[in-house]
Amino acid sequence: MQYGPAVRRRRLGAELRALRGLAGLTSSQAAAKVGWHQSKVSRIETGRSGVKATDVRLLLDAYEVKDAHLGELLVALAGADDTGASGRHHWWKAYRDLLPAAYRDFISLEAQASWVRTLETSVVPGLLQTPDYARAVTRAALGGLPDEQVDALVEVRLARQDVLRAEPPVRLSVVLDEAVLRRSVGGPQVFAHQLARLQEVAQLPQVRLQVLPFSSGEHVGLIGPFVIFSFPNIADLDVVVLDHLTSSLYLERKEDLQAYVEAFNTLQEQALSPEDSEDFIAGLSDGA
């Protein structure tokens, strides 16, 4: 298991090495084109050192990479320095002093992903939370924060949801354990609005929302929640994120990725269909 920045350094280095090969350059020739020592190119490609977004752009220019989207993704993978050209993908810069590095890493990956698969066993995923629900979760998880900090964290949570309205929007597949839908976070009124929000978002064409009912018995999701990020244009770049109270762990080994993808597929098979899930949530809403 590795932390987010290490994952990104290794992945970014591998992609830059491949692009250098496609450009027909040796590491020494690449270094000469951008005015560096050869050892710097080697350190970047092996993931032994970090790399600034500006340095990534220099290498992309040297390798004559024309794919703007690919370039933007590689710049984003350079780290959480938030200096990228795309304002949409770096909006959290204004909250830099408030957000831990691990959370900035998570947001960066989420903003660049083309497909997000998530299992939730305790709370509604952040991308689907209402403001009041998000505020209740934030207060419970980070008790004692001043109101202005809670408000700022809620703003961040809501701003993350822009990926659902982007063009193109992120593809979102969610499996919710029934426990999520039985926990009245924020009180009856707040939770009723949250259930209504789930019904609303389930209608979006890019969202697949499924409920894993108690009647399904034991399942692989009992190990806890996880998120799988997949990205466009770069093969084998999936990342699994295991979220903890004070940090996040990122898994990148092929065997780990395969295990979590298979686990998610199994959970989808065990869960109610999207249509039956909508009916299940609607039934809870009627009784709320």
Side-chain angles (χ1 to χ4, degrees):
M1 288 185 289
Q2 298 192 36
Y3 290 92
V7 172
R8 290 197 306 204
R9 285 198 302 269
R10 288 182 56 186
R11 292 299 178 113
L12 176 59
E15 293 300 329
L16 290 172
R17 183 170 61 250
L19 290 172
R20 176 174 60 77
L22 289 175
L25 298 172
T26 66
S27 58
S28 295
Q29 290 170 333
K33 289 194 71 170
V34 295
W36 298 345
H37 192 279
Q38 185 271 340
S39 62
K40 180 173 181 178
V41 174
S42 295
R43 289 196 304 271
I44 290 172
E45 291 185 351
T46 56
R48 285 180 293 162
S49 67
V51 55
K52 296 179 180 178
T54 52
D55 288 344
V56 171
R57 294 191 185 96
L58 284 175
L59 291 174
L60 293 176
D61 289 341
Y63 303 157
E64 298 183 1
V65 176
K66 304 300 183 184
D67 188 331
H69 189 76
L70 171 59
E72 184 176 301
L73 179 54
L74 293 181
V75 167
L77 289 176
D81 61 0
D82 309 332
T83 57
S86 173
R88 183 173 69 84
H89 290 141
H90 299 274
W91 53 265
W92 57 91
K93 182 178 180 180
Y95 301 94
R96 184 180 181 88
D97 293 338
L98 176 67
L99 304 179
Y103 193 19
R104 297 200 305 271
D105 284 343
F106 185 92
I107 296 173
S108 177
L109 292 171
E110 184 179 71
Q112 297 293 341
S114 59
W115 186 15
V116 176
R117 285 165 282 184
T118 181
L119 164 70
E120 288 293 348
T121 58
S122 299
V123 296
V124 171
L127 291 179
L128 305 182
Q129 292 178 6
T130 65
D132 288 336
Y133 186 99
R135 185 168 287 103
V137 169
T138 301
R139 288 193 183 281
L142 301 170
L145 284 182
D147 288 344
E148 58 270 19
Q149 288 192 24
V150 171
D151 290 342
L153 288 171
V154 171
E155 287 178 16
V156 170
R157 185 71 54 90
L158 299 179
R160 284 172 47 200
Q161 298 176 5
D162 283 347
V163 296
L164 294 172
R165 298 181 287 270
E167 190 56 49
V170 70
R171 177 183 174 191
L172 179 63
S173 300
V174 179
V175 174
L176 290 182
D177 190 276
E178 184 177 339
V180 175
L181 303 174
R182 298 290 184 181
R183 182 170 291 105
S184 184
V185 173
Q189 185 173 8
V190 169
F191 192 60
H193 289 159
Q194 180 60 69
L195 291 177
R197 168 63 175 160
L198 291 177
Q199 292 176 270
E200 174 188 326
V201 78
Q203 304 302 315
L204 297 175
Q206 74 273 23
V207 174
R208 180 183 178 91
L209 177 62
Q210 294 178 260
V211 175
L212 190 63
F214 289 149
S215 60
S216 66
E218 66 277 6
H219 54 78
V220 67
L222 293 174
I223 61 173
F226 60 87
V227 181
I228 305 172
F229 290 121
S230 296
F231 303 89
N233 296 338
I234 298 183
D236 196 28
L237 193 60
D238 288 9
V239 176
V240 176
V241 183
L242 307 179
D243 206 19
H244 299 273
L245 182 62
T246 57
S247 64
S248 298
L249 291 176
Y250 295 70
L251 308 181
E252 61 158 346
R253 294 191 311 164
K254 287 185 178 180
E255 51 266 43
D256 291 329
L257 292 168
Q258 182 177 356
Y260 276 89
V261 168
E262 290 177 355
F264 191 80
N265 292 341
T266 298
L267 290 166
Q268 284 190 308
E269 292 173 0
Q270 291 180 278
L272 301 175
S273 69
E275 295 75 20
D276 288 344
S277 295
E278 288 183 44
D279 291 341
F280 186 94
I281 296 172
L284 293 176
S285 297
D286 291 340

